[in-house]
Amino acid sequence: MGRLLGFVREAYFASYFGTSGIFDAFIIAFTIPELFGMILFSAMPMALIPLIKSGDAVDKNEESRCFWSGLIWFGIGFGFLSALFFIFRQDLIFWLAPNLSPEMANLAHELSAILSVFIFLRGMEIYFRSWCFLKMHFLAPAFSTIIVNLIIICSLVFLFDRYHVHALAYGWVADGVALLLFNGYFAFKVVKPKFNFRIDSVWAAVLTRSLVAVTIIECISMSYALVDRYFAGHYLGAGPISALRYASTLISIPSGVFVAAFNVASFPWIAEHLKENKIGELKNLYSKTVRALLFFLGFAAIGIVIFARDIVMIALGRGKFDDASLA
């Protein structure tokens, strides 16, 4: 459901902006906050779940200590990162897309100023979401995607006439606030942490080391978004950055539906099997998951290759999405 609404969201983007310089400016402004969220979404559960499952938090008091320490420590850290992005946003945008026209560059600076707080909001929301995963509570985090897309669509429909492309930036900030409250509520509900509003420096250091180690690897695997926008911003004119984004988003729908769901649902069991040295069960889970993904994604890939133009036309071909955008 979340991915289908994401498809509707992209159709709204296409009808409002097409492959335009204005949408290019938004994408450039949103690249670092978006990439931060993508990396952290994968890295945080991978760092947090094995650490708790391994026995570092063995009772309710220890779990509460871990929860509060991470909440305060990462709140400070993500706030600092948001401030850094706000301060250096003009340099980052120039590095990503030095060939933006002065008008589009100024627009990107305005949008990035709005979006800087998104780094803090998304970081904390993913922290709460990771605790839900740890407790094998998957429904609320999965529902988050639906909330994201509904808010973005409503922002465009109701605010576009007044704020134009800025409505999109305000929509993502509103998303961050909504998901922080939504996943925060369920994290507190499933963890039920005892009040302990202080940082345990040892636990915070262990979690930070684990998160940084996983994040470095995730930065490599997620760097494609930065790479294609960097080269498009350096060597291509207005429009290709938007076109690349539409194409990659359409392609990511099947992988998002199947791969993300399998990863999120299987990871706590992977950690559990490793902890208890259940190698047979681990191999069985691995082989079943790989076979299922090959089956679903194989058909999806073939379908996209054969029907690429039809898919783009049906999905996006309306409003500002003209023949050049379609091609």
Side-chain angles (χ1 to χ4, degrees), residues 4 20 30 42 62 68 80 115 139 144 156 192 209 214 222 239 256 264 308 317:
L4 287 174
S20 62
F30 194 42
S42 298
E62 290 290 292
W68 283 110
F80 179 70
L115 291 165
L139 188 58
S144 299
L156 277 178
K192 297 182 176 68
R209 285 199 301 270
V214 179
M222 295 289 187
V264 168

mmCIF file of all heavy atoms in Angstrom, residues 4 20 30 42 62 68 80 115 139 144 156 192 209 214 222 239 256 264 308 317:
data_model
loop_
_atom_site.group_PDB
_atom_site.id
_atom_site.type_symbol
_atom_site.label_atom_id
_atom_site.label_comp_id
_atom_site.label_asym_id
_atom_site.label_seq_id
_atom_site.Cartn_x
_atom_site.Cartn_y
_atom_site.Cartn_z
ATOM 1 N N LEU A 4 2.378 1.750 -3.428
ATOM 2 C CA LEU A 4 1.382 2.217 -4.395
ATOM 3 C C LEU A 4 1.107 3.706 -4.198
ATOM 4 O O LEU A 4 0.972 4.463 -5.168
ATOM 5 C CB LEU A 4 0.089 1.410 -4.257
ATOM 6 C CG LEU A 4 0.145 -0.028 -4.771
ATOM 7 C CD1 LEU A 4 -1.147 -0.762 -4.433
ATOM 8 C CD2 LEU A 4 0.388 -0.046 -6.282
ATOM 9 N N SER A 20 11.872 19.516 -14.915
ATOM 10 C CA SER A 20 12.142 20.950 -15.007
ATOM 11 C C SER A 20 13.335 21.341 -14.146
ATOM 12 O O SER A 20 13.741 20.602 -13.232
ATOM 13 C CB SER A 20 10.914 21.750 -14.554
ATOM 14 O OG SER A 20 10.621 21.472 -13.191
ATOM 15 N N PHE A 30 17.453 18.388 -1.668
ATOM 16 C CA PHE A 30 16.983 17.277 -0.833
ATOM 17 C C PHE A 30 17.941 16.089 -0.848
ATOM 18 O O PHE A 30 17.762 15.144 -0.078
ATOM 19 C CB PHE A 30 15.598 16.840 -1.321
ATOM 20 C CG PHE A 30 14.857 15.948 -0.364
ATOM 21 C CD1 PHE A 30 14.849 16.203 1.004
ATOM 22 C CD2 PHE A 30 14.144 14.865 -0.823
ATOM 23 C CE1 PHE A 30 14.157 15.389 1.882
ATOM 24 C CE2 PHE A 30 13.433 14.042 0.048
ATOM 25 C CZ PHE A 30 13.448 14.304 1.401
ATOM 26 N N SER A 42 18.779 1.836 6.918
ATOM 27 C CA SER A 42 19.393 0.512 6.868
ATOM 28 C C SER A 42 20.370 0.300 8.023
ATOM 29 O O SER A 42 20.455 -0.797 8.581
ATOM 30 C CB SER A 42 20.133 0.322 5.536
ATOM 31 O OG SER A 42 19.250 0.402 4.443
ATOM 32 N N GLU A 62 18.222 -2.568 32.149
ATOM 33 C CA GLU A 62 19.290 -2.376 31.181
ATOM 34 C C GLU A 62 18.730 -1.882 29.850
ATOM 35 O O GLU A 62 19.304 -1.012 29.194
ATOM 36 C CB GLU A 62 20.047 -3.694 30.968
ATOM 37 C CG GLU A 62 20.883 -4.127 32.142
ATOM 38 C CD GLU A 62 22.079 -3.224 32.319
ATOM 39 O OE1 GLU A 62 22.973 -3.231 31.462
ATOM 40 O OE2 GLU A 62 22.097 -2.460 33.305
ATOM 41 N N TRP A 68 17.055 5.184 26.675
ATOM 42 C CA TRP A 68 17.184 6.602 27.007
ATOM 43 C C TRP A 68 18.543 7.148 26.586
ATOM 44 O O TRP A 68 18.647 8.284 26.103
ATOM 45 C CB TRP A 68 16.975 6.819 28.501
ATOM 46 C CG TRP A 68 15.539 6.776 28.911
ATOM 47 C CD1 TRP A 68 14.921 5.815 29.642
ATOM 48 C CD2 TRP A 68 14.530 7.735 28.601
ATOM 49 N NE1 TRP A 68 13.595 6.103 29.809
ATOM 50 C CE2 TRP A 68 13.320 7.280 29.188
ATOM 51 C CE3 TRP A 68 14.522 8.927 27.884
ATOM 52 C CZ2 TRP A 68 12.130 7.983 29.081
ATOM 53 C CZ3 TRP A 68 13.338 9.633 27.779
ATOM 54 C CH2 TRP A 68 12.157 9.165 28.371
ATOM 55 N N PHE A 80 23.066 18.266 15.759
ATOM 56 C CA PHE A 80 24.329 18.839 15.307
ATOM 57 C C PHE A 80 24.490 18.683 13.798
ATOM 58 O O PHE A 80 24.921 19.616 13.100
ATOM 59 C CB PHE A 80 25.481 18.152 16.046
ATOM 60 C CG PHE A 80 26.847 18.636 15.644
ATOM 61 C CD1 PHE A 80 27.277 19.910 15.994
ATOM 62 C CD2 PHE A 80 27.695 17.816 14.922
ATOM 63 C CE1 PHE A 80 28.551 20.358 15.622
ATOM 64 C CE2 PHE A 80 28.956 18.254 14.545
ATOM 65 C CZ PHE A 80 29.386 19.529 14.901
ATOM 66 N N LEU A 115 14.755 22.278 4.625
ATOM 67 C CA LEU A 115 14.923 20.836 4.768
ATOM 68 C C LEU A 115 16.000 20.447 5.769
ATOM 69 O O LEU A 115 16.130 19.254 6.086
ATOM 70 C CB LEU A 115 15.257 20.219 3.399
ATOM 71 C CG LEU A 115 14.118 20.232 2.375
ATOM 72 C CD1 LEU A 115 14.656 19.960 0.980
ATOM 73 C CD2 LEU A 115 13.049 19.206 2.743
ATOM 74 N N LEU A 139 4.108 -3.502 12.169
ATOM 75 C CA LEU A 139 2.959 -2.881 11.519
ATOM 76 C C LEU A 139 3.048 -1.352 11.529
ATOM 77 O O LEU A 139 2.858 -0.704 10.493
ATOM 78 C CB LEU A 139 1.660 -3.338 12.189
ATOM 79 C CG LEU A 139 0.363 -2.905 11.488
ATOM 80 C CD1 LEU A 139 0.337 -3.416 10.059
ATOM 81 C CD2 LEU A 139 -0.849 -3.406 12.246
ATOM 82 N N SER A 144 4.219 3.731 8.270
ATOM 83 C CA SER A 144 4.849 5.043 8.136
ATOM 84 C C SER A 144 4.927 5.485 6.684
ATOM 85 O O SER A 144 4.795 6.678 6.378
ATOM 86 C CB SER A 144 6.260 5.014 8.738
ATOM 87 O OG SER A 144 6.217 4.703 10.109
ATOM 88 N N LEU A 156 1.120 19.103 -1.680
ATOM 89 C CA LEU A 156 1.083 19.615 -3.049
ATOM 90 C C LEU A 156 -0.306 20.105 -3.426
ATOM 91 O O LEU A 156 -0.472 21.183 -4.010
ATOM 92 C CB LEU A 156 1.533 18.522 -4.026
ATOM 93 C CG LEU A 156 3.033 18.337 -4.214
ATOM 94 C CD1 LEU A 156 3.303 17.188 -5.178
ATOM 95 C CD2 LEU A 156 3.682 19.611 -4.732
ATOM 96 N N LYS A 192 8.311 0.266 26.676
ATOM 97 C CA LYS A 192 7.910 0.641 28.043
ATOM 98 C C LYS A 192 9.140 0.959 28.900
ATOM 99 O O LYS A 192 9.349 0.350 29.970
ATOM 100 C CB LYS A 192 7.080 -0.469 28.697
ATOM 101 C CG LYS A 192 5.760 -0.759 28.009
ATOM 102 C CD LYS A 192 4.997 -1.842 28.752
ATOM 103 C CE LYS A 192 3.632 -2.069 28.131
ATOM 104 N NZ LYS A 192 3.715 -2.663 26.775
ATOM 105 N N ARG A 209 29.862 3.363 17.909
ATOM 106 C CA ARG A 209 30.881 2.631 17.128
ATOM 107 C C ARG A 209 30.220 1.656 16.170
ATOM 108 O O ARG A 209 30.607 1.545 15.003
ATOM 109 C CB ARG A 209 31.834 1.887 18.057
ATOM 110 C CG ARG A 209 32.839 2.766 18.755
ATOM 111 C CD ARG A 209 34.011 1.946 19.284
ATOM 112 N NE ARG A 209 33.573 0.915 20.221
ATOM 113 C CZ ARG A 209 33.475 1.093 21.534
ATOM 114 N NH1 ARG A 209 33.761 2.278 22.058
ATOM 115 N NH2 ARG A 209 33.089 0.101 22.310
ATOM 116 N N VAL A 214 28.599 0.335 10.492
ATOM 117 C CA VAL A 214 27.596 -0.071 9.506
ATOM 118 C C VAL A 214 27.320 1.071 8.528
ATOM 119 O O VAL A 214 27.138 0.854 7.329
ATOM 120 C CB VAL A 214 26.295 -0.513 10.212
ATOM 121 C CG1 VAL A 214 25.244 -0.916 9.183
ATOM 122 C CG2 VAL A 214 26.564 -1.664 11.158
ATOM 123 N N MET A 222 24.770 2.941 -0.784
ATOM 124 C CA MET A 222 23.727 3.916 -1.107
ATOM 125 C C MET A 222 24.244 5.098 -1.924
ATOM 126 O O MET A 222 23.500 6.043 -2.196
ATOM 127 C CB MET A 222 23.091 4.460 0.184
ATOM 128 C CG MET A 222 22.334 3.433 0.991
ATOM 129 S SD MET A 222 20.794 2.943 0.174
ATOM 130 C CE MET A 222 20.057 1.931 1.456
ATOM 131 N N GLY A 239 16.843 19.317 -16.258
ATOM 132 C CA GLY A 239 15.905 18.236 -16.563
ATOM 133 C C GLY A 239 16.416 16.835 -16.301
ATOM 134 O O GLY A 239 15.687 16.019 -15.726
ATOM 135 N N GLY A 256 11.486 -2.193 -3.522
ATOM 136 C CA GLY A 256 11.032 -1.657 -2.245
ATOM 137 C C GLY A 256 9.958 -2.522 -1.610
ATOM 138 O O GLY A 256 9.953 -2.746 -0.397
ATOM 139 N N VAL A 264 13.504 -6.240 6.520
ATOM 140 C CA VAL A 264 13.014 -5.771 7.817
ATOM 141 C C VAL A 264 12.445 -6.929 8.624
ATOM 142 O O VAL A 264 12.709 -7.064 9.826
ATOM 143 C CB VAL A 264 11.952 -4.671 7.606
ATOM 144 C CG1 VAL A 264 11.236 -4.381 8.914
ATOM 145 C CG2 VAL A 264 12.610 -3.406 7.075
ATOM 146 N N ALA A 308 8.875 -0.570 -20.632
ATOM 147 C CA ALA A 308 9.395 0.650 -19.997
ATOM 148 C C ALA A 308 8.613 1.901 -20.399
ATOM 149 O O ALA A 308 8.157 2.674 -19.548
ATOM 150 C CB ALA A 308 10.879 0.822 -20.326
ATOM 151 N N GLY A 317 2.626 10.229 -17.361
ATOM 152 C CA GLY A 317 2.360 11.052 -18.538
ATOM 153 C C GLY A 317 1.136 11.935 -18.440
ATOM 154 O O GLY A 317 0.104 11.674 -19.074
#
